[in-house]
Amino acid sequence: MRTYNLYPMNEMYQPEKNDKFTFGLWTVGNPGGDPFGLPTREKINPVQIVHGLAECGAYGVNLHDNDLIPFGCSQKEKQAVVGKFKEALKETGLKVPMATTNLFHHPVFKDGAFTSSNPEIRAFALQKSMQSISMGVELGAETIVFWGGREGAETDSGKDPRDAIGWYRDAINFLSHWVNDQGWNLKFALEAKPNEPRGDIYYPTTGSMLHFISTLDKPEMCGVNPEVAHENMTGLSMVFAVAQAMEASKLFHIDLNAQKIGRYDQDLRFGSEDIKGAFFLVRLLEGCGGYPKYDGPKHFDAHAYRTESQEGVWDFAKGCMRTYKMLAEKANSFNNDPEVKEILLKNHSDSNNLSGILSYSKENAEAIRSMNANPEKLSKAGLQYEKLDQIAVEHIMGTR
Ligand code: GLT
Ligand code: MN
Ligand code: MN
């Protein structure tokens, strides 16, 4: 494989192990097929993917059960494939931080897995998840992602969404109790998506997943796996979704990619669309405003353009990581920019010492009630957000 030579002089953006950059087998292994056209690349096998990712400098590789073990594979074939995969991991030092279950591809899941109206299909979905989680544990995974691609509907005539929502809860509760009984210390990360492949999907946003978690038997085991594309598809803010998850200590995993608003799930190279959105997301993840850094794996759930050969796939993978690192540097320079600090300090200042009365007590309620506010004067202050935002743009563009 050739080395990344777009910027051969500049070594500072090389990925390092402690960046915890990961890719799924299904991402760099995507052969470029789409609903309208055949694949444009040869399919490479999981062992080749592990070696390719290691050469790119990734930390780990994630997988669905069926990315490694074809559906319906015998126990013997399974052992052989897992053995070879483990060998490749050992040779390269790559980790498997996350595993997930494919509950969307096989026709049996055409009307949902955990939310199928048929209890036999719901039971099969649990069985498949248990097998997949066991394999994940064998490979060292600490996080199990659940993406319910088929958990939705085209018509609400077929089932009551309240039933479906309850069945999804039953499934996550079942699996969390089972994992606990196995003595495994795993985290579940729930991934939302508004639609596609279903007309509508239950729990369509990270925010709705966060509420769902609070209704589970073992909420402490469960967090979210927000994806840029999935929040952006409907025009929502990924920054707000991730901030809400971080503030609730529920950001267990993250899927980084890019998306044009209002389209199908594009899964584009991280930072290739909405560079300012990507900048503020990285700034959040790297720690700012007195909040700590997100320390979990950063998974690029994206794939190369269909125009690419395998070489282009590695360009894509290196591009994702490189852009993240460049944005992390820019976020740091923005945070340390004296003018930024000055504006933020001024806007947040508490010259009348009022922050102490904003949490409820009877005395504080009395203080608020009798306060002499001056909304006319308060509304006069310009907040200098035009300047702040332009400074952010200047940092991103490298002119500051
Ligand atoms: C699928 C989906 C992704 C999920 C993967 C995990 S599978 O590619 O589009 O967003 O994260 O199941
Ligand atoms: Mn995803
Ligand atoms: Mn996606």
Side-chain angles (χ1 to χ4, degrees):
M1 190 201 314
R2 78 187 168 120
T3 52
Y4 203 69
N5 57 8
L6 284 178
Y7 304 91
M9 301 301 291
N10 198 338
E11 289 303 308
M12 66 186 293
Y13 305 117
Q14 294 298 320
E16 292 157 286
K17 292 292 169 198
N18 62 11
D19 292 320
K20 296 197 189 154
F21 290 141
T22 63
F23 291 83
L25 284 180
W26 71 95
T27 64
V28 285
N30 180 306
D34 70 18
F36 302 94
L38 293 171
T40 57
R41 300 183 276 271
E42 291 282 319
K43 207 165 168 32
I44 58 169
N45 67 47
V47 168
Q48 290 171 306
I49 294 176
V50 168
H51 285 282
L53 283 178
E55 275 184 55
C56 291
Y59 162 79
V61 59
N62 302 321
L63 72 163
H64 296 92
D65 49 354
N66 301 136
D67 296 339
L68 193 57
I69 315 295
F71 190 93
C73 202
S74 77
Q75 199 52 34
K76 205 169 149 217
E77 286 166 314
K78 179 178 168 180
Q79 272 170 5
V81 176
V82 173
K84 279 192 198 144
F85 188 66
K86 276 184 170 170
E87 225 168 82
L89 294 173
K90 206 166 153 202
E91 268 169 44
T92 56
L94 241 66
K95 303 269 180 274
V96 178
M98 180 275 263
T100 182
T101 314
N102 187 326
L103 296 171
F104 46 88
H105 195 258
H106 195 281
V108 69
F109 301 126
K110 63 188 177 192
D111 192 29
F114 298 152
T115 63
S116 166
S117 326
N118 184 339
E120 203 174 335
I121 295 176
R122 299 208 294 278
F124 175 61
L126 286 177
Q127 182 192 56
K128 193 172 192 291
S129 302
M130 288 157 78
Q131 287 165 354
S132 156
I133 293 171
S134 302
M135 186 172 82
V137 168
E138 185 184 344
L139 295 170
E142 292 169 347
T143 304
I144 305 297
V145 159
F146 291 89
W147 173 65
R150 295 282 170 199
E151 317 295 4
E154 288 69 42
T155 169
D156 296 322
S157 58
K159 70 183 87 161
D160 190 315
R162 289 166 292 193
D163 286 338
I165 285 168
W167 293 330
Y168 201 99
R169 179 184 297 112
D170 292 345
I172 299 294
N173 282 341
F174 183 107
L175 292 170
S176 61
H177 287 296
W178 175 72
V179 161
N180 194 51
D181 283 349
Q182 304 304 302
W184 295 332
N185 187 17
L186 293 174
K187 283 180 177 167
F188 288 176
L190 312 182
E191 179 175 349
K193 186 173 178 181
N195 59 275
E196 197 206 354
R198 299 310 298 270
D200 281 289
I201 296 179
Y202 307 116
Y203 310 110
T205 64
T206 295
S208 58
M209 278 299 181
L210 284 168
H211 171 262
F212 171 61
I213 290 168
S214 72
T215 72
L216 294 171
D217 285 354
K218 291 188 162 295
E220 67 287 353
M221 234 180 108
C222 299
V224 289
N225 178 40
E227 173 174 316
V228 177
H230 297 181
E231 299 299 319
N232 285 177
M233 277 168 77
T234 43
L236 293 174
S237 161
M238 175 67 170
V239 169
F240 286 8
V242 169
Q244 190 183 353
M246 287 177 94
E247 206 266 341
S249 302
K250 286 295 180 194
L251 187 66
F252 285 9
H253 199 264
I254 190 160
D255 278 359
L256 299 172
N257 56 19
Q259 171 78 18
K260 284 191 207 243
I261 286 178
R263 313 284 166 95
Y264 65 95
D265 185 21
Q266 294 178 303
D267 291 337
L268 299 168
R269 190 181 74 258
F270 179 61
S272 62
E273 294 290 337
D274 185 18
I275 191 81
K276 204 171 78 178
F279 167 80
F280 283 113
L281 175 60
V282 169
R283 179 168 175 254
L284 209 62
L285 294 174
E286 289 300 298
C288 63
Y291 291 93
K293 190 181 157 92
Y294 161 75
D295 202 30
K298 294 184 273 283
H299 177 233
F300 296 103
D301 189 10
H303 49 77
Y305 302 140
R306 192 161 177 265
T307 49
E308 301 309 289
S309 65
Q310 192 54 44
E311 185 173 284
V313 173
W314 302 124
D315 285 342
F316 147 84
K318 288 170 192 162
C320 286
M321 298 186 280
R322 186 176 174 86
T323 297
Y324 186 97
K325 296 209 68 151
M326 291 189 290
L327 288 174
E329 184 199 47
K330 302 297 179 195
N332 188 43
S333 60
F334 176 81
N335 292 338
N336 290 311
D337 187 311
E339 213 168 342
V340 170
K341 285 186 177 174
E342 196 190 308
I343 296 171
L344 291 179
L345 197 69
K346 194 179 87 202
N347 285 346
H348 289 78
S349 77
D350 183 17
S351 41
N352 295 329
N353 225 351
L354 291 174
S355 45
I357 63 165
L358 293 174
S359 52
Y360 181 77
S361 69
K362 284 191 175 147
E363 296 70 40
N364 286 349
E366 187 46 37
I368 293 275
R369 210 183 54 78
S370 57
M371 180 181 83
N372 222 344
N374 188 344
E376 299 314 317
K377 183 175 161 234
L378 290 171
S379 59
K380 291 280 182 300
L383 300 181
Q384 294 183 286
Y385 289 174
E386 285 290 356
K387 193 175 213 173
L388 267 184
D389 190 71
Q390 181 62 24
I391 294 174
V393 170
E394 304 268 338
H395 279 283
I396 296 168
M397 306 283 271
T399 52
R400 191 165 165 122

